[in-house]
Amino acid sequence: MTSELLPPGTANRRTFLRTATAALAVPTAAVLVGGGPAGTAHADTATDLPDFAPVPAASTGPALNEQGYFVGRIKGNLYWVTDSYYQAMFLSTREGVVLVDAPPTIGHNLLRAIAEVTRANGRPSKVTHLIYTHTHADHIGAANLFGKHVVRIAHSETRRLLRLDADPNRPVPNVTFDDRYDLRVGGERLQLAYHGPNHSPDNIFVYAPDHATLMVVDVLYPGWVPFKNLAVSQDIPAWVKAQDIAMEYPWTTLVGGHLGRLGVRADGDVQRQYVADLTAGVKAAMTLDPAPFFDKYGPAGNSWAIFKTYLDAVARQAADPVIAKYTGVLAAADVFTLDNAATMLESLRIDAGLLGPFGTRP
């Protein structure tokens, strides 16, 4: 087990898309883009895949072991696990393990990582408590691995949503809270807080005050641009605000739930600037002259063509300078910035009332 924070290295993974893993291990490799299960790709389709800018070295995390994971100490008895795509966090206590999230891509490697740590420190390996940061299956879809008797803790909205989903891989939590919850187990503690909807209606903040570490998922992406459509967030203004809330915590280490490395304070500052630049770019681009779009598609009565081509042009005009600024600074700036600009455009239209040429008719 590597016990230092953020050792250098490139990410690879043994069990998930082996061919993509080989590409990730090359310093100049492009970002992974789609694909089916291992063995289903065809040579004649590979040439159709786009090329992307290299991933900056500062965006990569520690090298994975032969089982396809890395586990490391954050501080004291607080640890994290990654497969270079997803992350989980756990506390090793005198009474057992408190795990935060159970991403299915890490899956059984969570058990291996916990066993590795507890063999070394002589503490119990049994997971006694499992915290759900939010309902999404990509982050808690392996929760069923920890049995019926684990104490599952989440926000009350998480329980409501999971009852509707009825997914056996995501058992309904048996302990819930509305605003704050102070968890103390075996001499360790975590502070759980709900600051309103953001990425999802139920997403919570998990803070380890004794270790100056914050885990908040799908809000900040250390070293990378946010996932497409601004992290497919359900409330864009609240998601933007959640970044500010995260930075108000006195953390020095961030577990963001995705990708291969932990975060530091500078990562939050860079992402907030990226979002600010994207917002400013969209607002400026919304002055684009709509006349050509109405002239082209109006006579045929194709209203959706007017909207699509105009909004696509605005998103592209906003995205291009942001891509140029952040390529080489944030990984995948050229992968998701256009999608993110389009989502920001829709949020500004719908949430902020900046309707551009589709406003109140004079």
Side-chain angles (χ1 to χ4, degrees):
M1 178 184 66
T2 303
S3 61
E4 296 299 322
L5 181 65
L6 294 179
T10 54
N12 54 59
R13 189 167 180 232
R14 183 174 65 88
T15 57
F16 182 64
L17 295 178
R18 290 176 180 269
T19 55
T21 298
L24 283 170
V26 179
T28 58
V31 174
L32 173 65
V33 285
T40 63
H42 299 285
D44 59 349
T45 62
T47 57
D48 297 331
L49 296 176
D51 294 321
F52 294 114
V55 174
S59 299
T60 62
L64 308 184
N65 63 19
E66 288 297 316
Q67 287 72 42
Y69 71 89
F70 169 86
V71 59
R73 177 184 283 115
I74 297 174
K75 185 179 179 182
N77 292 306
L78 184 66
Y79 298 83
W80 70 298
V81 189
T82 184
D83 61 354
S84 85
Y85 302 105
Y86 285 84
Q87 300 172 359
M89 180 176 80
F90 65 93
L91 268 172
S92 174
T93 85
R94 296 191 303 265
E95 298 175 9
V97 173
V98 178
L99 176 65
V100 186
D101 279 354
T105 67
I106 305 179
H108 286 83
N109 278 339
L110 289 167
L111 297 170
R112 297 182 183 101
I114 290 168
E116 181 179 342
V117 166
T118 53
R119 276 197 304 268
N121 67 17
R123 290 190 162 194
S125 63
K126 182 178 178 59
V127 175
T128 58
H129 296 75
L130 175 58
I131 297 168
Y132 296 167
T133 59
H134 61 304
T135 61
H136 292 170
D138 62 327
H139 289 280
I140 63 167
N144 62 314
L145 297 179
F146 301 95
K148 297 179 180 179
H149 302 296
V150 66
V151 178
R152 297 180 297 274
I153 305 170
H155 188 260
S156 55
E157 181 69 359
T158 303
R159 179 164 60 183
R160 186 187 73 82
L161 292 170
L162 287 179
R163 282 175 170 169
L164 295 175
D165 292 340
D167 179 0
N169 295 319
R170 294 175 288 160
V172 174
N174 43 37
V175 174
T176 62
F177 68 98
D178 291 325
D179 298 313
R180 297 183 183 275
Y181 187 88
D182 191 33
L183 176 64
R184 295 175 182 266
V185 178
E188 305 287 346
R189 61 175 176 155
L190 292 173
Q191 296 174 342
L192 283 53
Y194 179 66
H195 296 287
N198 47 77
H199 164 70
S200 67
D202 60 325
N203 202 21
I204 64 170
F205 292 63
V206 181
Y207 183 58
D210 300 325
H211 311 296
T213 297
L214 175 68
M215 182 169 179
V216 60
V217 173
D218 290 321
V219 172
L220 294 172
Y221 292 77
W224 295 69
V225 298
F227 189 73
K228 71 178 298 183
N229 304 125
L230 298 176
V232 290
S233 297
Q234 294 171 265
D235 187 331
I236 299 302
W239 177 80
V240 174
K241 181 181 178 182
Q243 297 169 53
D244 296 331
I245 295 172
M247 295 301 288
E248 290 171 359
Y249 278 80
W251 56 269
T252 57
T253 302
L254 177 82
V255 182
H258 274 285
L259 303 162
R261 75 165 175 86
L262 298 173
V264 295
R265 303 270 327 167
D267 292 315
D269 295 333
V270 172
Q271 181 172 311
R272 288 195 296 175
Q273 187 59 55
Y274 169 88
V275 172
D277 289 342
L278 196 67
T279 304
V282 170
K283 289 179 177 178
M286 288 177 75
T287 61
L288 182 66
D289 182 8
F293 304 89
F294 281 92
D295 292 345
K296 172 71 175 178
Y297 303 107
N302 196 337
S303 300
W304 270 185
I306 295 170
F307 270 80
K308 172 180 169 52
T309 55
Y310 181 82
L311 295 175
D312 286 353
V314 169
R316 172 55 69 188
Q317 184 170 311
D320 283 347
V322 177
I323 292 171
K325 178 177 178 179
Y326 288 94
T327 295
V329 177
L330 292 176
D334 57 336
V335 178
F336 282 144
T337 296
L338 180 58
D339 295 314
N340 289 339
T343 298
M344 182 60 74
L345 170 58
E346 285 306 307
S347 177
L348 290 173
R349 292 179 63 243
I350 303 304
D351 299 317
L354 302 177
L355 296 172
F358 307 107
T360 302
R361 186 179 182 88

